Amino acid sequence: MTSSEPSATEAANTFWHEFKAERSAIENAIQRSAHISKTKLADHFQTILQSINNLEKRLTQATEYIPSYDERQYARQIKELSRALEAARANLTPKPKFTFKSRKQQTHKMPQSAPASYATTALAAIVNNNDTIQSRDYYEDDNVVSYSDMSDQLIEPTSLENVDVLLSNLTRCTIILTVGQVSALHIKNLSQCVVVCKAIRGSVLMYGFTRSVIAVGCHQFRMHDARSVHVLLNVSSRPIIEDSSDISVGSYSHESLNIPDVRPEYLKINCYDQMEDFNWLKKQASPNWRVMDSAEADQFNQSITHDPPTQLSRLLCN
């Protein structure tokens, strides 16, 4: 029996697109503030504030199906919008002409007006977010472990307990995440790399992944801007690709995952071969991805399980 209800992955992706559109509308409204008549500024700012509050309410409603890491990034962007609004309000709203408090007391209660460029700077921090929720503030969260800007390295942390892992700007690196527990994995701009994980409790999300191999078990899997990637996957929802090509996917064996016979519920169903290509809406199979034949998938699983992952790195670099 087929349900007409959207999956959690589909709902999360729909929310992402809607959030971007609403965030952009709020940014534009803040930028227009300098051209609004002073007599109408109060209503203008109130309308923007209501839009931000509504966006925050929608985020609260969406928490049942979006990954926890994504939720934190959405919340941070909402805070940035609030800061930009307050900066514009402080810069454009005239100060009151009369006060019953001393100037000294005022300075403790009311901050000095922000410089004219502050609102523009605050908005730039949002606009330069590359239209993704994963592109900033990685280093401000104690629950995120980051590995960035390296080449020709073996990255093998010895302890990972309930943390999100960010891999960014890596070239010809082998990353082994098989110790402890990773909550979510986020990849940005990796080339000629091998990423080997066991089961991840949350989502895997990547932007910019070329000539590489990834092996992972997870709840949700989303891949954007990927080229020539081999994927070994165990995923409980339909994986998604967008703006990607030459993707081959095979089943990540339970032996390779190195998990006990009593497996987490989300690893008992594997939708690795039901990939959705958001750039291909036709009924025919997408030309951007294919399912590995059993021999090819077995070869990758054997290499990851029994051979040093650096063997795969050398294979990719040829």
Side-chain angles (χ1 to χ4, degrees):
M1 181 176 179
T2 302
S3 173
S4 60
E5 293 293 325
S7 67
T9 301
E10 292 169 336
N13 193 74
T14 298
F15 180 81
W16 173 52
H17 286 288
E18 293 175 348
F19 183 94
K20 285 197 302 180
E22 183 61 22
R23 186 196 67 193
S24 179
I26 293 172
E27 292 167 359
N28 291 335
I30 295 174
Q31 289 175 326
R32 291 197 306 270
S33 299
H35 306 287
I36 300 295
S37 169
K38 290 185 178 181
T39 60
K40 298 180 179 179
L41 269 177
D43 290 340
H44 174 72
F45 287 139
Q46 185 60 34
T47 300
I48 295 175
L49 179 61
Q50 186 62 49
S51 296
I52 294 174
N53 290 341
N54 289 340
L55 190 60
E56 190 168 22
K57 289 178 183 178
R58 292 185 59 193
L59 173 60
T60 300
Q61 296 169 349
T63 54
E64 62 184 48
Y65 55 79
I66 61 175
S68 58
Y69 183 92
D70 290 2
E71 177 187 346
R72 292 198 297 272
Q73 302 308 309
Y74 284 126
R76 286 177 177 176
Q77 291 188 44
I78 291 174
K79 287 182 180 179
E80 291 287 354
L81 289 172
S82 298
R83 290 170 188 162
L85 172 61
E86 288 308 310
R89 192 199 301 268
N91 187 51
L92 296 172
T93 302
K95 294 181 181 179
K97 295 181 179 180
F98 301 99
T99 178
F100 292 98
K101 294 187 178 183
S102 69
R103 183 175 298 176
K104 185 175 183 180
Q105 287 174 321
Q106 262 191 340
T107 58
H108 285 288
K109 186 173 182 179
M110 182 180 294
Q112 187 177 8
S113 294
S117 62
Y118 181 82
T120 303
T121 303
L123 280 171
I126 307 171
V127 173
N128 292 332
N129 206 20
N130 293 332
D131 286 332
T132 73
I133 58 175
Q134 282 78 21
S135 61
R136 60 190 309 276
D137 287 343
Y138 290 113
Y139 305 99
E140 297 180 9
D141 195 327
D142 292 337
N143 292 323
V144 177
V145 176
S146 302
Y147 299 95
S148 304
D149 304 308
M150 291 185 283
S151 300
D152 304 295
Q153 297 293 318
L154 172 62
I155 300 171
E156 189 173 10
T158 57
S159 178
L160 294 169
E161 293 301 331
N162 297 318
V163 295
D164 294 353
V165 174
L166 163 68
L167 307 173
S168 62
N169 302 322
L170 303 179
T171 304
R172 296 184 304 276
C173 291
T174 297
I175 303 97
I176 306 176
L177 306 174
T178 55
V179 176
Q181 181 63 63
V182 175
S183 301
L185 174 64
H186 300 268
I187 289 173
K188 186 175 182 181
N189 299 333
L190 266 63
S191 177
Q192 295 178 290
C193 289
V194 176
V195 182
V196 181
C197 311
K198 62 174 188 178
I200 289 177
R201 289 179 178 173
S203 62
V204 175
L205 178 61
M206 55 190 71
Y207 290 86
F209 197 44
T210 60
R211 293 188 61 197
S212 297
V213 170
I214 182 169
V216 65
C218 57
H219 278 295
Q220 296 179 342
F221 182 91
R222 290 182 285 170
M223 175 185 288
H224 303 258
D225 300 316
R227 303 287 183 275
S228 303
V229 174
H230 300 287
V231 181
L232 287 181
L233 187 60
N234 193 302
V235 60
S236 58
S237 60
R238 299 184 70 172
I240 290 173
I241 63 171
E242 188 171 17
D243 299 325
S244 301
S245 62
D246 191 22
I247 309 300
S248 58
V249 58
S251 177
Y252 195 12
S253 73
H254 292 133
E255 179 185 11
S256 300
L257 274 167
N258 191 27
I259 57 177
D261 290 337
V262 181
R263 295 187 286 274
E265 189 67 28
Y266 66 91
L267 291 179
K268 294 180 179 179
I269 299 175
N270 191 359
C271 302
Y272 78 97
D273 57 352
Q274 301 175 40
M275 190 168 284
E276 296 186 22
D277 184 353
F278 279 13
N279 296 108
W280 188 260
L281 303 180
K282 300 178 182 180
K283 292 183 179 181
Q284 296 88 347
S286 167
N288 296 318
W289 69 278
R290 66 176 180 85
V291 177
M292 297 181 189
D293 61 43
S294 57
E296 184 180 8
D298 288 345
Q299 180 183 11
F300 275 105
N301 274 288
Q302 288 293 322
S303 298
I304 287 173
T305 305
H306 302 294
D307 298 333
T310 48
Q311 297 289 333
L312 290 175
S313 291
R314 285 197 288 269
L315 172 66
L316 290 170
C317 293
N318 287 336

